[in-house]
Amino acid sequence: MKSTFSILFYIDRSKPSGEGLCLVRCRISCNGRTASFSTRQQTSPDDWLAKKGRVGPTSAVAHGVNHALSAIEQRLNALYERTLREEQYITAEYLKEQYLLQDKPRQTFADIYLALCREKEAQKGKTLSPSSTRGYRDSYKSFVRFLDTRGLQRCLPHEVDKALIEAYRLYMLRDLGYKMSSVAVYLRRLRQAFRRAMLEAGLREDPFDLIDIETPAYERNALSAEDLQRLLAYRPHRSVDNHVRLIFLLGCFTGLAFSDLKKLRMEDVYTLGDGRRYLSICRTKTQNGSIVPLLPIAEEILAYVGQGRTEGLWFREFPVNSHFNHKIRELLVKAGCSPHTEASSHTARHTFATTICLENGLPIETVSRMLGHRFISTTELYAKVSKQKIAREMRPLMGSEQTQRLRRALRICPPRKRTHDQE
C-alpha cells in the first residue's frame, strides 16, 4: 500500500506572547494520522501567509523564519524517504520522534553503556553485590577496548548490529582468551545496554534476537570420598597452605560458598536446646537463609581457627579467589590426588551436596535447605549422582526375590549348529 505524507506549517493563535507574536508549529500527516511539534519560530499573525505556510516578505523576520522552516521541511522529507526505504514502516509520531532526536546531542553507544554501569553502581550494597557492579564495569571496559581496536570509539546505537556483536564475541574468545561462560555473561550485559539504547534512541530492531548467547553447560566437579580423605590426612608444612586447606575443608563440611566463608562470624554459630550446634547465615549472593548442623569435623576446624575468641570473624585473614583456586589445586596434588583433578573454591560446596549429603542418603529437600537454595532445581545442578551411589542403591534390587524369579524364568537358546549341507 502506498504511503501518504505531507507537511503543514501553521501558527498557534491560542497562546500569543506578550508582544503579540504566535508560535509557528509543524504538522506531519502520514497515512491518515498526524503529529505536531513546535518549530521555535515566532511571527505576527498579520504577517503569516496560511496558504503558503510562510511569513510574508514585508516582515522584518521573513528571511530568517522562512529559511528555518524550509530547512525543517527538507530534513523531514529526507527522514521520511530514508525511513520508508530502510524500515518499510512509518507513522507520523515516529517521524516526529526521530526528527526531534536529531536536534539532541547524539549519545554514543559507549556513553549509554557507561550510564548503565553508573546506575548499577548506585545499587551496590542495596540490590547488587560489589562483585556484580564490578562485573558491569569490567564488561564495559572490555567492549570499549574492542571498539578501539576497530576504530569505532564514536559508535552510535544504530551501528551496533549482528555483525559487530559476533565480532565482539570472537574478540573475547580469541584475543582475550575468555571462556564461553564469561562471554555469555558479557553479552547479556551488552544486551541490557542495547535495550537502554533502544529506548533512548528510538530503535526498533534488536540484533540480539538473532544471536544465541546461551550459557554452555559445564560438569560441576565434586571431590570423591577418597580424595577428601587424602586432603584431610595431608599436613602442609607452611601455615599459609594449611590455612587455605582448612577454609576449603570447612566449605566441604558446611556447604558455604566462598563469599559466605569470608564473612562468617562467630555470632553465626549457636546452640539449640538439643545441645547440637548450628550455623545460620544469610547468603551473600541471594540473601536466602541457610541453616547447617555442624558436623564434628567442621566443629574441630572452627575450634582451631577460633583460637579461643568469642566474637568477630572466624577467618581474620582471607585469600583472594584466584590465589585460593591455584593453591587448592596444588594442595590436592601434594595430598596424592590425580594431577588432573579440577577444583576451585566452589568445588567445596559441590562436595558437601554430593559426597557428604546425597551419598549418605540425605533427601534432596534437606540439602536444598542447607545450601540456601530457593528452588530444588538449583540443588539438582549441584547434586551429582556417582557410580558408587548407583551401585549401592541397585544392590537390594539385585538380590530381590522378584529379580531371582525372573532370572530363573530366563531361557537362552543356544545357536544352532550349521550342518555340512548348509556349508
Side-chain angles (χ1 to χ4, degrees):
M1 183 177 69
K2 186 177 180 181
S3 176
T4 60
F5 174 69
S6 64
I7 301 172
L8 173 68
F9 294 104
Y10 65 97
I11 59 174
D12 186 0
R13 300 175 184 270
S14 62
K15 298 178 181 179
S17 66
E19 300 174 355
L21 300 179
C22 294
L23 194 65
V24 181
R25 296 184 63 85
C26 175
R27 179 186 295 143
I28 304 171
S29 300
C30 185
N31 298 328
R33 299 294 181 89
T34 63
S36 63
F37 61 92
S38 170
T39 63
R40 301 177 184 175
Q41 303 297 321
Q42 290 183 323
T43 184
S44 170
D46 298 333
D47 296 332
W48 181 251
L49 304 178
K51 290 186 178 180
K52 293 184 178 182
R54 295 290 189 274
V55 179
T58 58
S59 172
V61 297
H63 178 74
V65 173
N66 290 339
H67 179 75
L69 297 182
S70 298
I72 293 174
E73 187 174 18
Q74 183 178 2
R75 290 170 60 187
L76 281 173
N77 281 314
L79 179 62
Y80 170 77
E81 294 293 339
R82 187 178 75 246
T83 306
L84 192 63
R85 181 176 61 254
E86 295 178 356
E87 304 189 24
Q88 299 180 352
Y89 174 80
I90 195 168
T91 64
E93 191 66 30
Y94 180 71
L95 276 176
K96 168 190 167 182
E97 292 176 358
Q98 293 300 309
Y99 174 80
L100 295 178
L101 283 173
Q102 291 179 351
D103 288 340
K104 294 181 180 179
R106 305 189 73 179
Q107 276 190 310
T108 65
F109 185 77
D111 293 336
I112 296 174
Y113 203 165
L114 180 60
L116 174 66
C117 293
R118 288 172 177 167
E119 182 181 292
K120 298 297 181 181
E121 190 75 25
Q123 300 174 12
K124 183 170 67 173
K126 300 174 183 176
T127 58
L128 289 177
S129 65
S131 59
S132 296
T133 56
R134 186 170 59 250
Y136 276 96
R137 179 71 65 168
D138 291 342
S139 60
Y140 162 75
K141 291 179 180 178
S142 169
F143 187 70
V144 169
R145 285 197 301 269
F146 164 71
L147 293 179
D148 289 342
T149 61
R150 300 175 70 90
L152 297 174
Q153 295 88 344
R154 303 296 300 172
C155 174
L156 297 175
H158 69 273
E159 296 175 329
V160 179
D161 54 9
K162 180 184 177 182
L164 186 69
I165 297 170
E166 291 291 359
Y168 176 50
R169 187 207 298 264
L170 185 61
Y171 168 78
M172 288 189 287
L173 289 171
R174 184 184 60 191
D175 298 352
L176 302 183
Y178 289 173
K179 293 183 179 179
M180 288 293 295
S181 57
S182 300
V183 171
V185 171
Y186 277 42
L187 288 180
R188 286 196 185 94
R189 290 169 182 157
L190 182 67
R191 184 171 194 173
Q192 289 187 43
F194 190 82
R195 286 180 173 174
R196 186 188 185 104
M198 289 181 68
L199 295 175
E200 296 186 6
L203 302 179
R204 291 185 180 179
E205 296 184 359
D206 186 355
F208 283 93
D209 292 339
L210 308 174
I211 295 175
D212 181 19
I213 55 174
E214 183 178 354
T215 303
Y218 291 104
E219 183 177 357
R220 290 163 170 81
N221 298 315
L223 293 185
S224 64
E226 293 77 14
D227 288 343
L228 188 57
Q229 182 66 36
R230 293 187 184 98
L231 188 60
L232 284 167
Y234 177 65
R235 293 292 183 270
H237 297 293
R238 300 177 59 197
S239 60
V240 175
D241 294 348
N242 189 51
H243 186 67
V244 171
R245 183 182 74 104
L246 292 177
I247 294 174
F248 183 81
L249 287 174
L250 185 62
C252 290
F253 286 96
T254 61
L256 295 183
F258 187 75
S259 57
D260 297 327
L261 287 168
K262 184 177 181 179
K263 70 170 190 178
L264 185 63
R265 302 185 64 83
M266 295 186 170
E267 295 83 0
D268 296 329
V269 178
Y270 62 95
T271 306
L272 289 182
D274 58 0
R276 294 288 306 273
R277 301 185 74 199
Y278 289 79
L279 193 152
S280 178
I281 65 165
C282 185
R283 292 198 59 208
T284 303
K285 181 178 179 181
T286 62
Q287 302 302 312
N288 292 337
S290 175
I291 301 176
V292 184
L294 284 178
L295 297 172
I297 294 179
E299 291 211 50
E300 290 184 25
I301 294 174
L302 290 178
Y304 177 81
V305 300
Q307 299 176 350
R309 293 179 289 115
T310 58
E311 60 181 16
L313 296 171
W314 282 102
F315 298 100
R316 290 181 291 187
E317 295 181 0
F318 211 86
V320 295
N321 199 13
S322 57
H323 172 74
F324 183 89
N325 292 338
H326 173 76
K327 185 60 66 175
I328 199 61
R329 295 189 195 102
E330 182 181 299
L331 292 175
L332 285 170
V333 174
K334 290 181 179 180
C337 300
S338 169
H340 304 291
T341 302
E342 289 292 334
S344 65
S345 58
H346 217 59
T347 303
R349 189 164 164 84
H350 293 295
T351 302
F352 175 76
T354 304
T355 308
I356 303 300
C357 296
L358 295 177
E359 288 286 328
N360 290 286
L362 264 69
I364 194 169
E365 295 83 2
T366 304
V367 179
S368 180
R369 183 71 179 92
M370 290 191 293
L371 292 177
H373 289 160
R374 189 174 301 170
F375 305 106
I376 292 182
S377 58
T378 308
T379 312
E380 291 172 348
L381 298 176
Y382 281 68
K384 179 181 177 183
V385 180
S386 66
K387 297 177 181 178
Q388 293 82 358
K389 180 175 174 61
I390 295 174
R392 185 168 60 251
E393 294 188 353
M394 285 291 291
R395 195 174 298 125
L397 182 60
M398 297 290 187
S400 68
E401 182 180 349
Q402 184 179 2
T403 304
Q404 296 299 327
R405 185 168 61 254
L406 292 173
R407 183 179 180 183
R408 288 193 296 270
L410 177 64
R411 296 291 184 269
I412 299 178
C413 299
R416 296 178 62 184
K417 295 182 180 180
R418 302 179 64 183
T419 62
H420 293 289
D421 295 338
Q422 291 176 333
E423 294 178 357

